[in-house]
Amino acid sequence: MLIIDVIIVLILVAVGYMLDDYFNLTALYITPPVAGGVIGIIVNLVNYAMTGSMWLPHQFGPQLLITIFLFSIGVKIALTYGKKHLISLFNLFWITVVIMFIIDAVAIMTTNNSVSLFAFGSSSLAWNGAWLNFIQQVFPNLTTIQFYFHASLLAAFLLAPVVVKMFVFFEVEEIQNPARPQIGDWHWGVVIVSLFLALTAIFMRTNFLAGIPYLFSFIIAMWLGIIVGLVIDHFANDKQDQMLTSIGELGLLSLYGFIVSMLLKSTNIVVTNWNLRLLYLLIIKIIIITVIHIILAKLLVKDHHDLVLMGACWAFTLSAPVACMNTMNSIVRYHGEADDVLLLVPPIVLWLINYAHYGVFIWLLH
């Protein structure tokens, strides 16, 4: 069943690619997984109307896909990071922590309404399943939090194309032709090793490291990827390009599959836990966050590298890291690669921010 689930998800990704070919969605900042995911949502909603149920991939499938993706990011980090990247990573981390502290402190001190706190506080930053469970332990009466977070995720996915266009205050370059994954050209040895190490990361997390907060399988996989990247850099110079291309394309397809899975999951939770009051709060938050980022974009965005970072900030402030990665990907598909930004953001939004947020929030609550 797991294999069937992954195949269905990847079929929806393939549908997204076909829609992109036909309608040139890249120029509209719409990524293939969002296009294919919307088709999956429509089919699921029709099925729900007829049968009262929705199809969802088994939870292990999305976990495996995001773990493979972060492994590929780790490999690229090992081969790309230099001193300037580490300094930027350090600065972005502390800036994020300071902003997060201020937002949470103000929210906790000025409201006794837990719904308002999580609608406007930084508690909606870098959310994940473990973070949602922790929030519900602290506020057991907050039964609507799943709806709010998944509605935020859907909003970030579906509104990203429109919002990114609002951020463009520079002369648009020619549309790039993003490379299509050519599976037949992959280095299958390194692909099999990547899959094995992703499964190893999940096994290590489940059996040996389950007690460590926020040490997810994809974080372990990212570190394994860094090790593999260093090995490739020192011992595989003759086949390095093919290896890196194979790992990168496998990671991209895995990210796309994870995005489709989250679109389907979020739709299910939003439809089955509908809450009009929280929807109004979310609309207000989206408007405020978007207006602020449009002003910042007008002042700061000079090229597509700045645009990638601004898109990441908007999506991250509104929702989850996966929406952040999707927004950045939609921009680089149009304007070209921006690894200086793409490789800085994942360690912050997928790893460092969780530990800082956990500590800051606990300290403020006490």
Side-chain angles (χ1 to χ4, degrees):
M1 289 303 297
L2 172 62
I3 295 175
I4 293 175
D5 286 351
V6 172
I7 289 174
I8 293 174
V9 166
L10 293 181
I11 287 174
L12 289 174
V13 172
V15 170
Y17 271 117
M18 289 188 290
L19 291 173
D20 183 27
D21 288 339
Y22 191 79
F23 296 106
N24 192 21
L25 299 181
T26 296
L28 302 175
Y29 299 107
I30 299 174
T31 59
V34 170
V38 169
I39 299 300
I41 288 172
I42 293 172
V43 173
N44 242 353
L45 290 177
V46 172
N47 182 59
Y48 181 73
M50 296 175 61
T51 66
S53 63
M54 293 188 188
W55 175 82
L56 289 176
H58 188 275
Q59 62 181 0
F60 184 79
Q63 180 187 9
L64 176 62
L65 291 170
I66 193 64
T67 302
I68 295 171
F69 168 66
L70 262 293
F71 172 83
S72 71
I73 288 293
V75 173
K76 292 190 72 173
I77 285 175
L79 297 171
T80 306
Y81 265 31
K83 184 178 179 180
K84 65 176 183 178
H85 291 93
L86 295 176
I87 293 173
S88 298
L89 182 67
F90 179 81
N91 291 334
L92 283 171
F93 172 65
W94 283 110
I95 290 171
T96 305
V97 170
V98 170
I99 293 174
M100 185 175 60
F101 174 86
I102 295 172
I103 293 174
D104 269 343
V106 171
I108 289 175
M109 289 187 296
T110 57
T111 180
N112 293 320
N113 186 319
S114 56
V115 173
S116 298
L117 169 63
F118 289 107
F120 292 98
S122 74
S123 305
S124 58
L125 296 182
W127 69 265
N128 50 58
W131 183 240
L132 289 184
N133 292 335
F134 170 73
I135 289 175
Q136 290 191 315
Q137 290 175 7
V138 177
F139 295 95
N141 295 325
L142 194 59
T143 57
T144 56
I145 197 67
Q146 290 279 353
F147 169 85
Y148 180 79
F149 283 125
H150 284 278
S152 299
L153 181 59
L154 276 178
F157 279 133
L158 300 178
L159 294 177
V162 177
V163 173
V164 169
K165 277 190 169 294
M166 295 180 182
F167 292 166
V168 179
F169 291 98
F170 61 95
E171 186 175 347
V172 177
E173 304 167 14
E174 264 186 47
I175 296 178
Q176 303 293 317
N177 293 314
R180 186 69 52 84
Q182 300 295 325
I183 296 178
D185 298 331
W186 284 5
H187 187 294
W188 282 100
V190 79
V191 168
I192 292 172
V193 169
S194 301
L195 292 172
F196 172 76
L197 290 177
L199 290 170
T200 300
I202 295 173
F203 179 81
M204 291 173 61
R205 164 62 181 171
T206 304
N207 293 279
F208 303 111
L209 303 170
I212 303 177
Y214 300 113
L215 184 61
F216 303 107
S217 60
F218 52 73
I219 294 174
I220 300 171
M222 186 173 69
W223 282 109
L224 292 175
I226 290 174
I227 295 171
V228 170
L230 293 174
V231 171
I232 291 175
D233 188 40
H234 284 85
F235 299 105
N237 290 329
D238 55 334
K239 295 185 177 180
Q240 187 177 116
D241 290 342
Q242 186 186 16
M243 287 182 173
L244 293 180
T245 298
S246 301
I247 293 174
E249 291 176 351
L250 176 66
L252 181 63
L253 283 178
S254 299
L255 172 64
Y256 281 4
F258 183 72
I259 290 171
V260 170
S261 299
M262 291 306 299
L263 281 165
L264 296 173
K265 178 180 179 180
S266 294
T267 301
N268 177 274
I269 291 176
V270 168
V271 170
T272 56
N273 296 272
W274 186 257
N275 187 298
L276 194 58
R277 179 190 175 193
L278 278 182
L279 185 62
Y280 289 145
L281 287 174
L282 177 59
I283 292 173
I284 295 171
K285 181 176 181 179
I286 291 172
I287 293 173
I288 294 173
I289 289 174
T290 302
V291 169
I292 291 173
H293 281 80
I294 289 174
I295 294 172
L296 290 174
K298 187 173 180 62
L299 295 173
L300 302 175
V301 172
K302 307 301 181 184
D303 55 35
H304 84 273
H305 291 253
D306 297 335
L307 183 64
V308 171
L309 185 57
M310 189 60 63
C313 291
W314 172 81
F316 179 59
T317 306
L318 180 61
S319 183
V322 62
C324 179
M325 297 305 298
N326 175 71
T327 304
M328 291 192 294
N329 183 256
S330 71
I331 298 169
V332 300
R333 282 177 58 81
Y334 190 124
H335 298 284
E337 289 296 329
D339 275 353
D340 55 326
V341 180
L342 286 175
L343 297 181
L344 281 174
V345 173
I348 295 175
V349 302
L350 292 169
W351 174 35
L352 295 176
I353 194 67
N354 280 311
Y355 291 101
H357 202 175
Y358 182 86
V360 167
F361 193 74
I362 291 294
W363 183 76
L364 288 172
L365 283 177
H366 288 82

